Amino acid sequence: MRSIAFGYLVLCLLAWGLKTVVALPGFWGYAPINLGIGPGSQPIELVVWFDDEQQPWMYAAAQNFHARRPSVSGRPITMRLVAMDSWEMVDRVARQDWGEYPPPTALSPASSFWLDELQIAWAGLNAGDPLVRNSVTPMVLSPLVLVAWEDRARRLWPDGMQRFWWDIHAAASDPEGWAGVTQRAGFAQDAPQVAEAEAWGQLKLGLADPLESTSGMQTLVLMAYGFYERTSGLELADVRNPELRQWLDEIRQAVPQADRSSADVMRSLVQFGPSRYDLALVYEHVAIQHLSEAQERWDATLRVYYPPKTIFSDYPYAILNAPLTSSDERAAAERLRSFLRDRPQQQLARQHGFRPADAAVPIMSEELSNPFYFYSSYGIQAQLGQQVERLSREELDTLLILWANR
């Protein structure tokens, strides 16, 4: 009996020791063995809702954060990552419709535009303080780019991309399709290049649905600025111009389907090749993540081209205010925000095709692990054209209605 009692005492002491020093893996965090002893026994759950196109980097960074065993006030931080479309994120949070997910501590949609929309929607549906009070921090950047099969791009832009969108419009509205484009590039009607282009058929343009995707919405904004050949100063009257509507209608003829996201567009292009899309507008990081696969799969060269005027997503990180979050939860979210902006995590983002938001981290460092350098022969470049001015909410809504009502 004495030995049994001694053994029981040893087990109790061992359990108490494990309680204080051992951590077991959890879901994007770590969960200490919890015997309910001591003030540090209850973990802080940090829930981050983020745009689903950040997944490769966000998951990898979360693992690195977990490896540091972070804590606040002696309480360990566990993490829960929830990937979803930015449109859905704004709608759910504004209505406090958590569904099957835990309520978020922090949000990271594709663009700061969505946080502005959320603030407006929240104020309209909920009383009290603004949902996001503290400053919002961009995490990474990704501009829109054009991915195109090189032989098609050379026919469409034999002399450069100065009239980028008007050249796409001309190809989309040409009844002879690629054969007409090839003749305008200087080839005679009976040239073998024209016969080859006839087999390509009509222009097939890939883009995400502007009514469901941030990248699609941004593509539509670039089209509107391309029509006027401006980078700023669009007014509501410009957006309502019937000539713009007709021009957009003619480009839309070349869109065989509107995919849900930039990633879906790129996956379709890689899977089905030139038979699905000749050109496609996607995020730069999405293009980078699939370039190797495309080159291996098809006997054709896929290249990346940059519109002369650009737009990008800044993937901001916003911490939610009380009453949705506690002070310890906000402190945990601040800890993660600082971690994601640290140089090692910004370099990790670069490995996944994102441009670091930290200007001190170079984009084009000469390392094979840097895809911007590795894929530079396929058109990836550090320099971007001038960014277009953001549209007002009314202008953007009107533009989306134009697209939806055709």
Side-chain angles (χ1 to χ4, degrees):
M1 291 294 294
R2 186 176 300 174
S3 62
I4 293 174
F6 178 75
Y8 177 77
L9 178 61
V10 169
L11 287 173
C12 289
L13 291 172
L14 179 61
W16 182 85
L18 285 171
K19 162 71 179 64
T20 59
V21 300
V22 176
L24 296 179
F27 184 71
W28 299 119
Y30 74 100
I33 298 174
N34 188 356
L35 299 182
I37 303 173
S41 61
Q42 185 63 39
I44 301 168
E45 185 175 50
L46 171 56
V47 181
V48 181
W49 287 16
F50 68 101
D51 186 87
D52 49 14
E53 291 191 348
Q54 293 184 78
Q55 286 189 57
W57 172 61
M58 190 65 81
Y59 285 153
Q63 288 180 323
N64 293 340
F65 186 67
H66 157 62
R68 291 194 172 190
R69 300 188 177 230
S71 63
V72 169
S73 302
R75 298 172 60 191
I77 300 172
T78 64
M79 281 193 67
R80 183 79 63 89
L81 297 182
V82 178
M84 66 176 65
D85 183 84
S86 294
W87 297 71
E88 180 184 2
M89 185 187 304
V90 168
D91 180 61
R92 279 178 173 265
V93 173
R95 294 187 294 107
Q96 299 191 52
D97 173 19
W98 315 129
E100 67 274 30
Y101 306 120
T105 315
L107 304 174
S108 184
S111 168
S112 296
F113 163 81
W114 290 115
L115 292 179
D116 293 343
E117 290 296 294
L118 177 57
Q119 295 279 48
I120 294 170
W122 176 267
L125 294 173
N126 304 276
D129 291 334
L131 181 63
V132 178
R133 178 179 292 173
N134 296 331
S135 60
V136 174
T137 308
M139 292 289 104
V140 292
L141 306 174
S142 194
L144 277 180
V145 299
L146 180 88
V147 289
W149 303 104
E150 186 174 27
D151 50 3
R152 270 76 160 170
R154 285 182 174 178
R155 300 286 174 84
L156 187 55
W157 292 291
D159 301 316
M161 293 183 167
Q162 291 82 1
R163 303 200 78 205
F164 181 87
W165 290 108
W166 278 95
D167 290 335
I168 289 177
H169 170 267
S173 57
D174 192 322
E176 297 184 16
W178 280 108
V181 171
T182 301
Q183 290 179 64
R184 285 198 302 277
F187 294 94
Q189 187 173 3
D190 58 351
Q193 290 85 354
V194 174
E196 177 189 40
E198 287 177 349
W200 298 347
Q202 298 297 122
L203 173 69
K204 301 176 292 297
L205 177 64
L207 58 88
D209 190 341
L211 305 178
E212 295 187 11
S213 164
T214 306
S215 66
M217 178 179 66
Q218 291 173 336
T219 300
L220 191 57
V221 170
L222 281 187
M223 286 182 185
Y225 274 112
F227 175 79
Y228 289 104
E229 298 185 308
R230 300 184 206 165
T231 57
S232 63
L234 283 193
E235 299 178 354
L236 194 56
D238 298 318
V239 178
R240 289 174 173 166
N241 184 350
E243 292 181 3
L244 171 62
R245 176 172 185 161
Q246 180 179 348
W247 189 82
L248 291 174
D249 281 341
E250 291 165 349
I251 288 182
R252 190 172 183 176
Q253 293 178 93
V255 181
Q257 65 183 57
D259 289 300
R260 176 187 164 273
S261 70
S262 176
D264 288 340
V265 172
M266 193 68 193
R267 280 191 288 265
S268 291
L269 186 147
V270 171
Q271 183 176 359
F272 300 105
S275 68
R276 177 62 59 87
Y277 296 129
D278 301 302
L279 325 168
L281 277 298
V282 299
Y283 282 131
E284 182 182 53
H285 72 273
V286 172
I288 286 173
Q289 291 167 9
H290 292 87
L291 270 176
S292 289
E293 186 182 358
Q295 310 304 339
E296 293 168 2
R297 191 178 182 96
W298 300 100
D299 186 22
T301 301
L302 188 69
R303 288 184 59 85
V304 176
Y305 301 87
Y306 291 79
K309 306 299 183 288
T310 193
I311 193 170
F312 59 79
S313 288
D314 57 353
Y315 296 94
Y317 182 94
I319 300 170
L320 302 190
N321 217 346
L324 293 183
T325 59
S326 68
S327 59
D328 279 353
E329 288 169 343
R330 292 192 294 276
E334 290 169 1
R335 192 73 55 89
L336 176 62
R337 179 176 59 190
S338 297
F339 180 80
L340 293 176
R341 283 296 300 250
D342 282 349
R343 189 181 184 94
Q345 306 316 310
Q346 291 286 292
Q347 290 172 328
L348 178 63
R350 188 182 62 190
Q351 290 179 24
H352 289 283
F354 291 98
R355 292 174 179 246
D358 182 355
V361 179
I363 295 171
M364 197 62 77
S365 62
E366 295 186 1
E367 307 159 4
L368 290 181
S369 62
N370 180 356
F372 289 87
Y373 172 73
F374 185 80
Y375 289 117
S376 58
S377 61
Y378 292 98
I380 294 295
Q381 62 186 43
Q383 297 301 316
L384 298 175
Q386 183 178 355
Q387 187 178 6
V388 299
E389 185 180 62
R390 181 169 162 178
L391 297 184
S392 71
R393 189 183 188 199
E394 187 176 12
E395 292 162 354
L396 181 58
D397 287 346
T398 302
L399 190 60
L400 291 171
I401 291 169
L402 279 183
W403 185 268
N405 288 345
R406 277 175 284 172

